[in-house]
């Protein structure tokens, strides 16, 4: 649930009127609801309270420092993909032992920064990266815990742009190569293979792909255990979807319940398993809006256009992959207004009457 609601015929964020708010900040403006961010984080994290776990917010979903500070204060960790995101997480007060470093293109400088900061895990995505990290760890004389990000050949069954766990994708290491790669890592003196990692994509609206991934990872953890390689961190990545229009993704409670059930009785390594989760969209996707103002309405040929002060640079989703993003009026008119559609895209989003508009995905079940 989010805190963007109508009251007295006007859209409010928490108990603030949006027209009042934009009088001081102007438009276009991104407006985030603190209560919503806290609520979404707590509902997600709380859903896993019966399992040893760490919720590492995926910084790329929104790297605003004020947001990161909120999650840091709530005890969250961070999933980062660059040195810049590392700096932001640390600046937001993150404990490095709650940071995991993902990403397919980490540079030597970035690896060194993560090693020196002492992050919890570096999610290695290729053999050349493994060898580079080994040299970096040796240079700084640090023992570095690593995971391999594995490509399990399981489709996220969402948008092709949002699928990352099939052989067509650049991400991770083919799961069939996992055993030799872990064995190789275990022989490197400064590296400690301690985790296993998978992120198959985003906007996933069913539990099926997650269950399939867990099955493969559990199997691999057991086989690694027999080789004397003890995995104590199972990182399931992010990917839980949200409602933009009519999707009905699992509620975080359901997501956690099913994962918990799959892990029941599974101890993995002798020291047990800590689950790592990297949610992004599900925490922040419905916690903010873009408020824009209608500037002009004009006719071009037979078409009538409403021009706002926010463009594709402010909200790239619909134009990037033809996705639906709702537009609602800040002050709905009394009369049933005209229907308008996105001009950048096919007729997907409607706004009932011009006025100050805002783009708000509809609320998640949380
Ligand atoms: C994008 C990303 C996430 C977060 O995905 P959401 O769908 O926003 O939950 C988590 N982990 C990695 C490695 C990512 O690239």
């Amino acid at each position: 649930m989010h805190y963007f609601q109508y009251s007295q015929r006007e859209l409010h964020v928490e108990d603030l009127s949006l027209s009042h708010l934009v009088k001081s900040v102007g438009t276009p403006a991104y407006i985030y609801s603190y209560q919503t961010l806290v609520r979404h984080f707590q509902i997600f994290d709380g859903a896993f309270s019966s399992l040893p776990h760490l919720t590492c917010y995926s910084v790329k979903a929104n790297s605003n420092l004020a947001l990161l500070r909120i999650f840091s204060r709530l005890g969250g960790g961070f999933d980062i993909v660059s040195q810049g995101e590392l700096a932001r997480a640390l600046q937001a007060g993150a404990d490095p032992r709650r940071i995991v470093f993902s990403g397919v293109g980490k540079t030597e400088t970035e690896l060194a920064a993560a090693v020196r900061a002492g992050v919890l895990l570096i999610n290695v995505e290729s053999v050349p990266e493994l060898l580079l990290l080994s040299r970096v760890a040796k240079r700084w004389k640090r023992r570095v815990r690593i995971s391999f990000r594995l490509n399990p050949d399981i489709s996220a069954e969402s948008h092709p742009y949002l699928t990352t766990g099939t052989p067509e994708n650049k991400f991770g290491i083919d799961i069939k190569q996992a055993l030799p790669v872990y064995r190789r890592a275990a022989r490197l003196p400064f590296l400690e293979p301690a985790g296993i990692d998978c992120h198959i994509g985003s906007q996933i609206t069913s539990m099926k792909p997650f269950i399939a991934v867990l099955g493969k990872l559990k199997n691999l953890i057991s086989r690694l255990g027999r080789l004397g390689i003890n995995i104590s961190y199972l990182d399931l990545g992010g990917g839980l979807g949200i409602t933009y229009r009519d999707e009905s993704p699992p509620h975080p409670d359901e997501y956690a319940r099913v994962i918990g059930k799959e892990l029941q009785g599974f101890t993995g390594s002798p020291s047990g398993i800590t689950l790592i989760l990297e949610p992004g969209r599900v925490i922040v996707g419905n916690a903010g809006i873009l408020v824009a103002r209608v500037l002009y309405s004009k006719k071009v040929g037979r078409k009538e256009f409403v021009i706002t002060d926010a463009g594709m640079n402010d909200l790239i989703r619909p134009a990037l992959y033809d996705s639906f993003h709702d537009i609602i009026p800040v002050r709905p008119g009394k009369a049933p207004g005209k229907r308008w559609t996105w001009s950048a895209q096919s007729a997907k989003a409607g706004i009932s009457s011009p006025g100050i508009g805002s783009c708000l995905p509809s609320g998640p079940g949380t």
Side-chain angles (χ1 to χ4, degrees):
M1 199 197 88
H2 58 70
Y3 292 89
F4 295 91
Q5 310 294 345
Y6 285 103
S7 159
Q8 287 153 355
R9 302 191 66 79
E10 181 173 339
L11 190 60
H12 284 60
V13 50
E14 300 176 16
D15 51 9
L16 272 177
S17 123
L18 280 176
S19 56
H20 183 74
L21 197 57
V22 298
K23 270 198 194 102
S24 55
V25 302
T27 55
Y30 296 110
I31 295 174
Y32 287 87
S33 157
Y34 172 80
Q35 296 297 345
T36 308
L37 293 163
V38 169
R39 183 184 163 86
H40 286 184
F41 183 87
Q42 288 181 335
I43 283 180
F44 188 95
D45 191 53
F48 287 94
S49 57
S50 64
L51 295 170
H53 77 282
L54 180 61
T55 302
C56 291
Y57 167 69
S58 175
V59 175
K60 84 163 188 287
N62 186 321
S63 59
N64 183 292
L65 272 178
L67 265 70
L68 302 187
R69 281 200 192 96
I70 295 172
F71 303 138
S72 171
R73 277 201 300 268
L74 293 173
F78 295 97
D79 165 47
I80 57 161
V81 292
S82 69
Q83 190 173 356
E85 289 189 357
L86 173 64
R88 281 175 168 272
L90 294 175
Q91 204 180 332
D95 175 353
R97 289 290 307 253
R98 290 174 168 266
I99 293 176
V100 295
F101 191 6
S102 308
V104 75
K106 306 178 196 77
T107 66
E108 184 168 351
T109 315
E110 290 181 313
L111 289 171
V115 165
R116 294 174 68 192
V119 302
L120 177 64
L121 282 162
I122 296 183
N123 293 337
V124 174
E125 301 216 15
S126 67
V127 171
E129 181 190 336
L130 175 74
L131 301 179
L132 177 60
L133 178 59
S134 166
R135 290 198 294 278
V136 170
K138 187 173 171 197
R139 187 177 325 134
W140 292 99
K141 300 196 171 48
R142 299 283 181 93
R143 197 159 165 75
V144 178
R145 274 175 310 276
I146 63 160
S147 282
F148 282 107
R149 177 172 176 176
L150 301 172
N151 182 326
D153 191 10
I154 288 170
S155 167
E157 296 177 8
S158 64
H159 193 280
Y161 284 19
L162 305 180
T163 285
T164 58
T166 68
E168 286 81 51
N169 307 118
K170 67 189 167 195
F171 298 100
I173 290 172
D174 184 349
I175 198 160
K176 293 189 210 74
Q177 297 300 314
L179 287 180
V181 172
Y182 269 95
R183 265 204 300 258
R184 186 161 182 187
R187 287 196 301 268
L188 295 169
F190 286 87
L191 301 188
E192 180 191 340
I196 192 164
D197 170 46
C198 216
H199 169 76
I200 56 167
S202 198
Q203 187 55 12
I204 300 170
T205 53
S206 108
M207 285 308 298
K208 221 174 76 195
F210 292 117
I211 295 171
V213 167
L214 261 176
K216 286 199 176 187
L217 295 188
K218 279 191 323 192
N219 180 284
L220 188 57
I221 291 172
S222 305
R223 289 168 69 188
L224 288 168
R226 289 195 287 276
L227 294 174
I229 299 172
N230 291 319
I231 298 299
S232 36
Y233 297 95
L234 193 171
D235 185 339
L236 206 52
L240 187 58
I242 62 174
T243 303
Y244 289 96
R245 183 163 46 182
D246 49 13
E247 307 91 333
S248 45
H251 186 281
D253 285 343
E254 169 72 359
Y255 176 70
R257 189 188 62 76
V258 173
I259 291 172
K261 193 166 144 247
E262 293 296 313
L263 289 177
Q264 209 163 28
F266 181 76
T267 42
S269 80
S271 54
I273 288 266
T274 297
L275 187 63
I276 297 179
L277 303 140
E278 304 173 347
R281 186 190 302 261
V282 71
I283 308 285
V284 296
N286 286 322
I289 60 173
L290 170 63
V291 184
R293 188 181 297 273
V294 172
L295 299 178
Y296 306 109
S297 136
K298 68 176 205 175
K299 254 190 153 150
V300 179
R302 293 214 311 273
K303 260 195 167 164
E304 199 174 342
F305 289 91
V306 168
I307 309 295
T308 70
D309 58 5
M312 173 181 162
N313 54 315
D314 302 303
L315 184 71
I316 200 174
R317 269 191 83 244
L320 181 67
Y321 51 91
D322 201 21
S323 55
F324 173 85
H325 213 102
D326 206 3
I327 303 177
I328 57 174
V330 167
R331 281 194 301 244
K334 285 214 172 69
K338 261 188 191 170
R339 270 202 88 72
W340 302 85
T341 58
W342 284 99
S343 69
Q345 289 307 313
S346 48
K348 290 224 164 159
I351 173 169
S352 58
S353 66
I356 304 172
S358 90
C359 303
L360 171 74
S362 41
T366 55

